[in-house]
Amino acid sequence: MPISFRRKPPPPTTRSIVVDGRQLRIDVRPGSGRQPPLLLVNGIGASLELLQPFVDALDPALEVIRFDAPGVGGSPLPGLPYRFTGLCRLLARLLSELGHDQADVLGISWGGGVAQHFALLQRHRCRRLVLVATGTGSLMVPARPAVLARMVTPRRYLDRGYLRRNAADLYGGSARSQPEHISELMNAENRVGPALGYVYQLAAGAGWTSLPFLPLIRQPTLILSGDDDPLIPLANARLMHSLIPHSQLHVYHGGHLGLVTEADELAPVIGRFLAAGGSGDAGDGRSRAAQNGQPG
């Protein structure tokens, strides 16, 4: 009988799990267990596949947990709309279901709002906080009205031609020179859920703002923002950095999707921050480069 030297494919890491009576589609990339896992909270309308380039660029020793928000991708639509508080409770129970008392939490865009809320309301479950291309909610420096209008529907996930035509105005950065690449990135593997799931995500953050409680966030926090982000202008990152006591600001050259398009550059920055120490006081954490508005 011939011997096959073909490697067995790795075991699947994506599965459905029932948390507090609600089904969630999750992906858990195993790690070494030497530090808490990293919980990723994605942007509005995006399924967990969109962040695959970033996950691939992270240290393989780091356990990474991703999920589809209720009504997005492979997670069924909930019976009723939800708010950030309810979603944060669900994420805390997800960590418990996976056997973790604590995690580092990274939120991008809409997910950055969820991450800020989680850091305050589930403080003992969040060791370190990473905020990427995000702002403070309803009270923030807004994008231009024409940009915001394109975010009201998930059309960019459904119509490649529409995204190619609007990628530069929506996302900035490499989207200005490579709109076709951005279109492929956003549509290739991303699983689009029902339109009502997108509406529920919009409703979850409607009227929400983190401005009053940012000084109460005690976790060491890394804030990353692109210098060409039409959706979340850089001024919002500077504002959060000034209000979160133990924060660092890293400005990268790129747009709203920098976590994916510049994954090889940003993953090491985030990895070093997560590995820097325990959950104790991080000191001021404000580098000279960040204070000057330069990449940290």
Side-chain angles (χ1 to χ4, degrees):
M1 183 175 179
I3 299 176
S4 173
F5 290 95
R6 294 178 60 189
R7 290 185 178 181
K8 292 182 179 179
T13 58
T14 303
R15 66 185 189 273
S16 288
I17 185 173
V18 176
V19 181
D20 198 27
R22 179 173 293 175
Q23 184 178 333
L24 285 179
R25 178 171 173 263
I26 68 169
D27 184 279
V28 181
R29 188 191 76 173
S32 66
R34 291 195 299 267
Q35 68 186 70
L38 177 62
L39 174 65
L40 302 182
V41 190
N42 217 332
I44 190 168
S47 69
L48 57 85
E49 284 84 0
L50 187 62
L51 293 179
Q52 190 63 51
F54 171 67
V55 175
D56 291 341
L58 287 168
D59 183 345
L62 178 63
E63 179 176 336
V64 182
I65 301 170
R66 288 177 285 170
F67 69 98
D68 285 343
V72 175
S75 291
L77 185 71
L80 295 170
Y82 56 90
R83 300 290 290 175
F84 279 177
T85 299
L87 182 56
C88 289
R89 282 197 299 265
L90 186 67
L91 294 181
R93 288 165 184 162
L94 171 62
L95 291 177
S96 297
E97 188 72 26
L98 296 175
H100 298 295
D101 293 327
Q102 197 175 51
D104 296 325
V105 180
L106 181 154
I108 177 172
S109 197
W110 178 90
V114 178
Q116 292 171 66
H117 207 72
F118 189 91
L120 182 72
L121 268 65
Q122 301 288 338
R123 180 173 297 175
H124 64 292
R125 309 302 298 269
C126 178
R127 186 189 71 133
R128 288 186 163 233
L129 179 64
V130 181
L131 304 174
V132 185
T134 192
T136 56
S138 59
L139 297 177
M140 60 176 282
V141 179
R144 292 184 294 108
V147 174
L148 292 174
R150 295 186 180 100
M151 296 297 293
V152 174
T153 76
R155 185 179 175 187
R156 63 194 184 282
Y157 291 120
L158 303 169
D159 185 339
R160 290 196 180 200
Y162 175 83
L163 182 55
R164 281 195 299 271
R165 294 190 300 273
N166 293 280
D169 289 339
L170 276 173
Y171 299 122
S174 60
R176 299 193 185 282
S177 58
Q178 299 175 300
E180 183 65 39
H181 172 65
I182 298 299
S183 178
E184 291 177 3
L185 186 70
M186 296 287 286
N187 289 277
E189 300 295 335
N190 191 56
R191 295 180 55 170
V192 180
L196 191 55
Y198 193 90
V199 173
Y200 280 5
Q201 283 190 288
L202 287 172
W208 174 89
T209 180
S210 61
L211 271 180
F213 67 74
L214 287 182
L216 303 179
I217 291 179
R218 290 291 180 257
Q219 292 90 343
T221 302
L222 175 63
I223 304 166
L224 296 98
S225 179
D227 60 6
D228 181 25
D229 186 344
L231 272 174
I232 311 288
L234 176 57
N236 292 284
R238 298 193 194 282
L239 176 61
M240 290 190 296
H241 175 49
S242 71
L243 293 175
I244 299 176
H246 309 306
S247 65
Q248 305 171 35
L249 173 61
H250 180 91
V251 181
Y252 59 88
H253 182 59
H256 192 71
L257 296 178
L259 194 65
V260 178
T261 57
E262 277 73 49
D264 289 340
E265 172 196 340
L266 297 184
V269 174
I270 293 168
R272 288 191 295 270
F273 169 75
L274 298 179
S279 58
D281 194 326
D284 190 315
R286 302 175 195 270
S287 68
R288 186 182 304 275
Q291 291 177 13
N292 292 335
Q294 302 299 317

